[in-house]
């Protein structure tokens, strides 16, 4: 497994940071100098443009209609499902990517994501957004479909992001009990997926603090997990919980026991890294 | 063999003593209908009288989970008490180390921790919320597991699977009945962890299979199960683990 290439492609945090701060191309260029890898150097102008222009355009186009309504909640959900669905379809169609022993697992997940797309398209009808064009390599940044470990890492990123995003939209669906229930039913399926993929990667099925769990140490990955370290639930400090009988409750156990939401804005920002240029 | 149900002290059902605002850390339950007037004598015990205005508490000598958000949270507390108690017995079993391999021990110990924390969270939240109202916090339930062999790997794992899948379905089905966004979010934070558990337990039982999100729990639309309290409670009762009688007359 060529995890080195995967990690190397992320050693320049400036690339991703430019997603948030326009006009940082000069900074990115100077930081790229530290890497010295030919591939990275060659990719500088394109990658820089991608993260500054494309992501912003995609985000703003989507967020223009995001108003915390049931429709906007489902539109975000469908966008994320489009992404997951195509991601797994391509993987399953790529000869030699998925080991035989794990093909059934990926196929099962893929089947669910395709069903989610159909379900949400039906629910949204004329309000369904068009499917974005995706680039799962993020313009050559990832060897997504050439390296199973990269594929699994992105899979974990998408599933854990999905769990957080659906959770963040639940309140926006309270006015429609049927849609809220359906969203919750998808949410828990995504969590089942996330647990399985994490365990395939040798991680716990649950999120430990805000640990990025053997993922590239870059801002976008931290965005997926930041906030998961929360220990205050409804004003109750979960670290004060005491076991009355049995092994002690550990600090990580308290963060593992509650998943945390993310906003629609952040979910879109994370997903937009994989919108095609 | 059922034990005698645990005696729960009957509290006065006068209007004044049952009046309360359910608060969890400053979150005040929305709405005005939190008066409980002790007028349940005419209701039967079939659980077909959803009433969001009923607080949890003793009705005709038996603890009722109540209705509305307070009832849903108390219902969740009951389910978390069961899960926490079960895993506590699992990890404390003399044969825990010899029955399960290292990975299984790690997973089961994590689940024990998570469920105890969930239970303690609900206990603290409900106790704090109802501090000035006697008798409305669900007491500690009693459990026994006559059908479970704690020295048998599959007996324990299959029980865990049933509890986790039921928990997922219960939270999924209860969400629509929660009227306070903050409580819905808390339920959402817990249910995905229960689903992560279910996935892991199912894979321990049948490694490498698609059971982690199997077709027995995920339908053709890719949707997990969602059952309302009146569907979940009979399922939980049929496991025969909970020995303390309670009713859920005012939950949907």
């Amino acid at each position: 497994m060529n995890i080195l290439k995967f990690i190397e492609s992320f050693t320049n945090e400036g690339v991703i940071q430019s997603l948030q701060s326009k006009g940082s191309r000069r900074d990115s260029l100077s930081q790229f100098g530290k890497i010295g890898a030919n591939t990275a150097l060659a990719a500088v102008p394109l990658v820089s443009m991608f993260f500054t222009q494309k992501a912003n355009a995609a985000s703003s186009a989507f967020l223009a209609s995001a108003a915390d309504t049931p429709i906007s909640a489902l539109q975000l959900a469908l966008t994320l499902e489009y992404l997951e669905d195509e991601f797994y379809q391509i993987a399953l169609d790529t000869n030699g990517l998925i080991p035989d022993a794990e093909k059934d697992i990926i196929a099962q997940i893929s089947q669910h994501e395709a069903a989610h797309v159909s379900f949400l398209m039906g629910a949204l009808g004329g309000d369904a957004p068009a499917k974005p064009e995706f680039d799962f390599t993020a313009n050559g940044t990832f060897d997504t479909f050439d390296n199973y470990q990269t594929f699994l890492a992105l899979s974990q990123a998408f599933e854990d992001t999905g769990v957080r995003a659906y959770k963040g939209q639940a309140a926006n669906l309270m006015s429609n009990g049927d849609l809220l229930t359906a969203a919750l039913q998808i949410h828990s399926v995504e969590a089942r997926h996330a647990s399985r993929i994490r365990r395939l990667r040798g991680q716990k099925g649950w999120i430990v603090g805000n640990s990025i769990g053997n993922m590239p140490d870059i801002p976008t990955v931290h965005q997926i997990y930041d906030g998961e370290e929360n220990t205050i639930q409804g004003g109750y400090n979960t670290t004060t919980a005491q076991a009355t009988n049995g092994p002690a409750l550990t600090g990580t156990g308290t963060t593992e026991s509650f998943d945390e939401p993310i906003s629609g804005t952040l979910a879109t920002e994370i997903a937009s890294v994989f919108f095609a240029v | 063999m059922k034990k005698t149900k645990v005696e729960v002290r009957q509290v006065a059902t006068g209007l004044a003593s049952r009046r309360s605002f359910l608060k969890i850390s400053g979150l005040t339950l929305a709405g005005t209908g939190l008066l409980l007037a002790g007028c349940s004598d005419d209701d039967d015990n079939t659980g077909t009288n959803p009433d969001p205005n009923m607080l949890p508490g003793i009705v005709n000598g038996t603890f009722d989970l109540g209705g509305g958000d307070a009832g849903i949270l108390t219902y969740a507390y009951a389910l978390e008490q069961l899960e926490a108690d079960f895993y506590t017995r699992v990890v404390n079993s003399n044969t825990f180390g010899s029955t399960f391999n290292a990975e299984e021990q790690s997973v089961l110990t994590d689940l024990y921790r998570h469920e105890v924390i969930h239970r303690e969270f609900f206990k603290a939240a409900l106790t704090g919320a109802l501090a000035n109202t006697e008798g409305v916090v669900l007491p500690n339930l009693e459990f026994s597991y006559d059908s479970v062999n704690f020295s048998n790997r599959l007996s324990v794992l299959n029980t865990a699977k049933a509890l986790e899948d039921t928990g997922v379905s219960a939270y999924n089905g209860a969400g629509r009945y929660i009227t306070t966004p903050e409580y819905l979010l808390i339920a959402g934070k817990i249910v995905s962890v229960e689903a992560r558990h279910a996935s892991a337990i199912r894979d321990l039982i049948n490694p490498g299979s698609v059971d982690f999100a199997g077709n027995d729990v995920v339908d053709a639309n890719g949707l997990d199960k969602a059952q309302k309290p009146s569907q979940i409670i009979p399922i939980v009762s049929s496991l025969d683990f909970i020995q303390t009688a309670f009713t859920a007359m005012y939950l949907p």
Side-chain angles (χ1 to χ4, degrees):
Chain A
M1 68 179 154
N2 185 11
I3 196 72
L4 276 181
K5 184 185 171 198
F6 185 34
I7 293 169
E8 178 187 76
S9 66
F10 279 108
T11 46
N12 180 5
E13 297 192 352
V15 175
I16 310 295
Q17 277 165 353
S18 68
L19 203 160
Q20 285 103 29
S21 57
K22 279 194 212 174
S24 61
R25 185 173 164 186
R26 194 189 304 155
D27 294 342
S28 295
L29 282 167
S30 67
Q31 292 192 28
F32 259 110
K34 297 173 189 167
I35 301 176
N38 291 337
T39 51
L41 285 170
V44 167
L46 277 175
V47 170
S48 185
M49 283 173 61
F50 163 66
F51 282 116
T52 53
Q53 297 172 8
K54 180 57 194 176
N56 286 339
S59 300
S60 58
F62 178 79
L63 290 172
S65 64
D68 292 349
T69 65
I71 287 176
S72 72
L74 294 188
Q75 287 173 331
L76 169 64
L78 179 54
T79 301
L80 296 176
E81 299 290 353
Y82 277 141
L83 181 148
E84 289 184 309
D85 180 33
E86 185 169 308
F87 174 71
Y88 292 113
Q89 296 279 1
I90 294 173
L92 287 166
D93 289 342
T94 303
N95 284 335
L97 175 65
I98 306 170
D100 286 347
E102 294 173 7
K103 269 191 180 141
D104 285 351
I105 292 169
I106 303 302
Q108 182 78 351
I109 295 175
S110 173
Q111 186 181 313
H112 294 159
E113 309 303 3
H116 294 164
V117 168
S118 300
F119 181 85
L120 291 167
M121 286 183 81
L124 278 164
D127 290 319
K131 181 176 172 176
E133 197 177 324
F134 296 111
D135 173 9
F136 294 105
T137 72
N139 204 28
T141 310
F142 299 97
D143 54 351
T144 308
F145 300 115
D146 296 323
N147 182 329
Y148 187 55
Q149 293 305 318
T150 304
F151 164 77
L152 283 182
L154 288 184
S155 172
Q156 177 183 322
F158 295 154
E159 298 293 347
D160 277 338
T161 298
V163 171
R164 298 193 70 175
Y166 273 96
K167 205 184 316 296
Q169 294 304 309
N172 294 332
L173 291 163
M174 290 179 79
S175 61
N176 186 319
D178 289 340
L179 290 180
L180 171 61
T181 301
L184 289 171
Q185 289 174 282
I186 295 175
H187 171 243
S188 63
V189 170
E190 302 292 343
R192 287 177 187 267
H193 295 171
S195 176
R196 188 69 193 91
I197 295 292
R198 293 176 64 90
R199 296 180 68 253
L200 275 181
R201 296 187 66 246
Q203 304 291 312
K204 287 186 175 187
W206 22 96
I207 298 170
V208 182
N210 63 355
S211 168
I212 60 174
N214 198 27
M215 305 262 281
D217 190 2
I218 57 161
T220 293
V221 172
H222 284 287
Q223 284 182 311
I224 297 173
Y225 294 102
D226 279 351
E228 287 285 355
E229 73 279 15
N230 179 34
T231 57
I232 307 297
Q233 305 296 346
Y236 174 71
N237 186 341
T238 54
T239 63
T240 64
Q242 297 287 327
T244 50
N245 179 20
L249 307 177
T250 63
T252 56
T254 64
T255 63
E256 291 163 15
S257 58
F258 288 81
D259 277 339
E260 300 295 328
I262 53 173
S263 69
T265 304
L266 181 51
T268 305
E269 193 173 311
I270 292 166
S272 68
V273 170
F274 300 94
F275 290 172
V277 175
Chain B
M1 54 181 188
K2 290 266 190 185
K3 293 177 190 168
T4 311
K5 79 185 179 201
V6 173
E7 286 301 321
V8 183
R9 189 160 54 92
Q10 177 126 21
V11 298
T13 52
L15 184 65
S17 68
R18 300 297 293 273
R19 181 186 303 221
S20 178
F21 294 97
L22 181 64
K23 293 167 82 178
I24 290 184
S25 173
L27 303 176
T28 303
L29 197 63
T32 57
L34 280 173
L35 308 182
L36 187 76
C39 59
S40 59
D41 287 354
D42 296 331
D43 297 330
D44 62 24
N45 288 338
T46 57
T48 54
N49 302 299
D51 184 346
N53 298 326
M54 296 297 284
L55 280 179
I58 302 287
V59 176
N60 297 333
T62 302
F63 194 95
D64 187 89
L65 300 179
D69 285 4
I72 295 289
L73 294 177
T74 300
Y75 162 69
Y77 178 36
L79 296 177
E80 297 293 352
Q81 280 197 34
L82 169 57
E83 289 188 304
D85 185 82
F86 172 71
Y87 291 113
T88 297
R89 299 201 193 202
V90 170
V91 299
N92 281 324
S93 165
N94 292 332
T95 55
F96 182 58
S98 58
T99 304
F100 301 100
N101 67 30
E103 183 193 9
E104 291 163 347
Q105 288 180 47
S106 171
V107 167
L108 289 165
T109 303
D110 279 353
L111 269 50
Y112 149 80
R113 292 194 172 105
H114 301 168
E115 304 300 359
V116 167
I117 290 165
H118 290 166
R119 179 189 67 196
E120 296 303 304
F121 160 75
F122 279 111
K123 183 177 189 176
L126 288 165
T127 301
L130 303 168
N132 297 321
T133 311
E134 257 190 302
V136 295
V137 177
L138 181 71
N140 292 338
L141 303 175
E142 293 203 350
F143 304 93
S144 81
Y145 304 89
D146 294 347
S147 62
V148 179
N149 178 351
F150 286 90
S151 300
N152 181 289
R153 176 179 170 275
L154 275 180
S155 177
V156 169
L157 292 179
N158 280 320
T159 303
K161 170 181 154 184
L163 292 179
E164 299 294 347
D165 283 338
T166 303
V168 170
S169 181
Y171 279 105
N172 281 349
R176 68 187 298 161
Y177 302 112
I178 297 174
T179 61
T180 309
E182 289 83 354
Y183 300 159
L184 176 62
L185 179 58
I186 294 252
K189 290 177 176 202
I190 293 175
V191 65
S192 55
V193 173
E194 306 288 355
R196 291 174 187 272
H197 293 172
S199 172
I201 290 289
R202 284 169 158 266
D203 190 62
L204 291 180
I205 293 171
N206 193 1
S209 71
V210 301
D211 289 3
F212 66 96
N215 298 339
D216 58 326
V217 281
V218 182
D219 70 15
N221 286 319
L223 306 182
D224 215 324
K225 287 193 172 180
Q227 292 164 292
K228 57 189 177 183
S230 61
Q231 295 172 302
I232 290 291
I233 288 171
I235 294 171
V236 174
S237 294
S238 72
L239 297 171
D240 205 19
F241 296 154
I242 301 178
Q243 304 304 313
T244 307
F246 64 81
T247 58
M249 291 184 287
Y250 308 109
L251 286 174

